[in-house]
Each structure stands twice: as structure tokens, then as C-alpha cells.
Amino acid sequence: MFRFTVLVCSLLVAVHGCSWGYKEDQTMKCEVDNNCNYGCHKGYCWSQCNGACAVRSLGVNHKCAECNIKEWCWQKGDYGGYAQCSTVDDCYNYRFNGCTGSCTV
């Protein structure tokens, strides 16, 4: 029974996925490699990030934490500044660029 419980818990952790869901439309997508949501809002790319939620990520900062606080930041563009977009698909190449500032709620 103990082995079964450990196996189930391990599988639940492994399939955590993006905390904000899988709304695969023109407002938000889920990057399964790092469990972070990202999207396009008012012409700029944003991404989920770990600020206060870093405590929940257990020090694994390259993965987004499963956290009740929806923390996000504007994504860096290729040459500094903000990554610009018309749709969420424009943000695909910027999803790993990092934040232009700190995470916010």
C-alpha cells in the first residue's frame, strides 16, 4: 500500500502542468517544459513567474510553482525592452527570455 501511495503522489507531482490552466486560445498558452503560462496582452508578451511563489517551487526557479498567487511579468524582447505581440503565438519565441522587471500580482 505504501508503494502504491508513493507512486500515485509521484505521478501527481509529475503532471502538475501550468497552474493557470490550458486555455489554448489567443489569450494564454501553457509551456509544458517549465509549467509556465504565457500570453499577449495589450501588445506585449507576459509570462507566469516565481516571486513570492518561489517558496513553493522548492528552489527550482526555472519551473513555475503551483501557487494560488497569480504572479506574472512582462517578457524581455530580443534586444532589451519589452517583447511585442499581436497574438499569443507571437510570444512563443520569448517565453524563456525572462522578465523585464520583477514579478507582480
Side-chain angles (χ1 to χ4, degrees):
M1 182 65 181
F2 176 74
R3 288 183 186 169
F4 177 75
T5 303
V6 170
L7 175 64
V8 169
C9 289
S10 297
L11 289 173
L12 288 174
V13 170
V15 296
H16 148 58
C18 291
S19 297
W20 300 2
Y22 292 92
K23 192 174 182 181
E24 298 289 334
D25 61 12
Q26 291 304 308
T27 61
M28 179 176 68
K29 292 200 175 189
C30 173
E31 176 53 56
V32 294
D33 289 339
N34 64 3
N35 297 335
C36 294
N37 290 99
Y38 68 94
C40 178
H41 181 70
K42 295 186 180 180
Y44 296 98
C45 298
W46 62 267
S47 176
Q48 181 182 356
C49 56
N50 290 336
C53 290
V55 173
R56 292 288 307 252
S57 71
L58 303 174
V60 182
N61 289 326
H62 63 278
K63 295 229 182 236
C64 285
E66 186 173 5
C67 185
N68 290 334
I69 303 170
K70 290 192 172 188
E71 297 179 299
W72 64 277
C73 65
W74 297 114
Q75 291 298 106
K76 289 180 185 173
D78 286 333
Y79 304 103
Y82 299 95
Q84 296 184 351
C85 58
S86 297
T87 70
V88 67
D89 292 327
D90 297 334
C91 300
Y92 181 81
N93 291 329
Y94 302 111
R95 70 197 188 286
F96 296 123
N97 276 17
C99 300
T100 56
S102 60
C103 289
T104 188
V105 178

